[in-house]
Amino acid sequence: MMGSKSLLIYILMVGVFGILNTEMGIIGILPHVSETYGVGIVEAGLLISLFALCVAVAGPTMPLFCSRFNRKHVMLFVLGLFTVCNTIAVFTDDFDLLLAVRILPAFFHPVYCSMAFTVAAALAGEKNAPKAVAKINIGVSGGMVAGVPISNFLAEHISLAASMTFFAAVTFAVFVATWLLVPSMPVKERMTYGSQLRVLKKPMVWASIFAVIFLNGSVFGVFNYLAKYLASVTGLAPSLISIMLFVYGVCNIFGSMIAGNLLTNRAELTVKCFPFALGAVYLLLFTGGSAWPVMAVMTVLWGLLGGINGNINQFWISRAAPEAPDFANGLFLTSANLGTMSGTAFSGLFIDHMGIEYVIFGGLAYGALSAGIVLWQLHRTSMNPVKRLSFAGETA
């Protein structure tokens, strides 16, 4: 039985990898898309920005809508849709159609990912749920890390169509594995939409949403400018920048592995310390980022913290609304995407007005806001023992 549960969790992990690979892998081939379809790089960038916008919009709604259906059937539908749309992208020479087949599956991105988190946690049980969720987050990190260099390599050495084929092949493989190996998973206790939406009345849920926005914004608001920072401040050559980005990504995966144990055994301490650890890394980057040895060490630490961050965010919101796990995971995905978008824009203001080296200030400001919220949450909980929880949020 344990073996079948582990197999299912690994299938979900690869499925999440396929979804994130489709979303993020396009970054590695934007110049090829621009050249092949005869559009500007900014217009080609719509393949990324509109996808992210659809994920943010669909996060709270689509998982809620699909929460009453057989989970296996939903998984097959989403994976099948991604496979079909990715296959169309291989053969189309019309940019508008390419954009359409990017946008359509994006609305179902939160459905599969939130369901993967929910199912993994339920299979593992309450005590080991963080470890199971950490495996799903490894799929997230892997999709973000591996998707970009693999798609770029295929486009550079074979063709743009080969990159698109890779996206379709991964989701199709998981579709087949789900069809053959995943048992039927009907929802035993169907929750009404109203009962799930009622979690929005809880102050701790809203506090968790804003905490995730600020925490994710703190990480990605700086990371999204890392390539430019490494070039302008550290003075690295393009080939070394690629290596540093890869190192960050690999450490991100290891961070997800570490986070499972930390949140299982030391959840409150991990959450309390995380914003301060991130702030310390940023201060060291600000003072020593021009020296490549310092930057190399900080990239490793930052990558580990980035992997831990994703797990904390999911854990945070899911524990704030344990009675509506699918809806809570949808809120997590929306909050994380809003944090990435707003954090990137906020940190960009420091670049525009002060220079690239001051991008760190955006991360520090967002990190301070997240620290304030989590400390308030933990203080409020400790002052009211009736509202017991593992980390943040209230009981139903």
Side-chain angles (χ1 to χ4, degrees):
M1 186 64 179
M2 287 302 296
S4 61
K5 289 182 179 180
S6 296
L7 176 62
L8 178 52
I9 290 174
Y10 281 113
I11 290 174
L12 292 170
M13 181 181 73
V14 180
V16 169
F17 168 81
I19 301 295
L20 267 294
N21 177 50
T22 298
E23 177 183 7
M24 304 301 295
I26 202 76
I27 294 173
I29 56 176
L30 274 187
H32 297 276
V33 171
S34 176
E35 180 181 350
T36 300
Y37 290 89
V39 298
I41 194 68
V42 174
E43 189 175 357
L46 291 173
L47 296 172
I48 300 170
S49 57
L50 288 183
F51 193 107
L53 179 61
C54 291
V55 172
V57 170
T61 54
M62 293 304 292
L64 179 66
F65 173 74
C66 296
S67 62
R68 60 176 57 194
F69 300 112
N70 186 300
R71 296 188 187 282
K72 178 177 181 177
H73 297 164
V74 174
M75 291 178 196
L76 289 172
F77 172 78
V78 176
L79 292 167
L81 179 64
F82 266 82
T83 300
V84 170
C85 289
N86 285 334
T87 302
I88 293 173
V90 174
F91 297 102
T92 184
D93 56 2
D94 186 316
F95 182 76
D96 291 334
L97 179 57
L98 177 64
L99 192 59
V101 296
R102 285 281 295 175
I103 290 174
L104 179 59
F107 284 104
F108 294 89
H109 171 298
V111 174
Y112 188 92
C113 291
S114 65
M115 188 170 292
F117 286 122
T118 301
V119 171
L123 288 171
E126 184 176 357
K127 181 180 179 181
N128 294 312
K131 292 182 180 180
V133 168
K135 291 179 181 178
I136 304 302
N137 269 311
I138 290 172
V140 173
S141 298
M144 298 175 70
V145 173
V148 175
I150 291 175
S151 65
N152 179 268
F153 177 86
L154 291 172
E156 289 283 353
H157 294 85
I158 304 178
S159 67
L160 178 63
S163 292
M164 300 290 190
T165 301
F166 173 65
F167 301 155
V170 175
T171 51
F172 178 69
V174 183
F175 176 90
V176 173
T178 302
W179 180 30
L180 297 177
L181 302 174
V182 175
S184 178
M185 292 186 288
V187 179
K188 296 178 181 179
E189 297 181 7
R190 294 186 177 182
M191 297 182 64
T192 64
Y193 298 142
S195 64
Q196 296 184 73
L197 288 170
R198 274 198 291 273
V199 303
L200 294 176
K201 294 181 179 180
K202 299 166 65 174
M204 283 296 188
V205 169
W206 284 102
S208 296
I209 288 171
F210 282 106
V212 169
I213 289 174
F214 290 130
L215 197 57
N216 219 52
S218 179
V219 173
F220 285 96
V222 181
F223 170 73
N224 287 344
Y225 297 104
L226 179 56
K228 183 174 178 61
Y229 186 94
L230 290 170
S232 301
V233 178
T234 313
L236 295 183
S239 58
L240 291 177
I241 291 174
S242 297
I243 293 173
M244 292 284 274
L245 292 174
F246 180 75
V247 168
Y248 176 94
V250 171
C251 292
N252 206 271
I253 294 175
F254 281 110
S256 291
M257 296 178 182
I258 294 169
N261 287 320
L262 289 177
L263 293 174
T264 299
N265 302 309
R266 297 287 187 273
E268 185 172 316
L269 180 62
T270 300
V271 176
K272 280 182 179 179
C273 294
F274 183 85
F276 299 99
L278 185 63
V281 167
Y282 283 164
L283 289 174
L284 288 170
L285 285 176
F286 184 70
T287 56
S290 59
W292 75 261
V294 174
M295 193 65 204
V297 173
M298 289 303 101
T299 298
V300 170
L301 296 177
W302 190 11
L304 292 172
L305 290 174
I308 295 171
N309 168 70
N311 287 267
I312 285 178
N313 288 339
Q314 188 278 334
F315 187 63
W316 202 328
I317 290 187
S318 66
R319 290 304 173 96
E323 66 273 39
D326 288 311
F327 184 49
N329 283 319
L331 291 174
F332 151 64
L333 293 167
T334 293
S335 303
N337 276 274
L338 289 175
T340 298
M341 289 188 287
S342 65
T344 302
F346 182 69
S347 295
L349 295 176
F350 288 93
I351 297 175
D352 289 339
H353 292 89
M354 302 173 71
I356 181 63
E357 63 269 29
Y358 293 95
V359 67
I360 302 299
F361 287 8
L364 287 171
Y366 261 48
L369 289 169
S370 68
I373 294 174
V374 70
L375 291 176
W376 173 81
Q377 285 182 293
L378 294 172
H379 173 73
R380 187 173 183 268
T381 303
S382 66
M383 294 297 291
N384 188 351
V386 174
K387 295 176 178 178
R388 302 283 305 195
L389 43 86
S390 299
F391 153 50
E394 303 161 311
T395 56

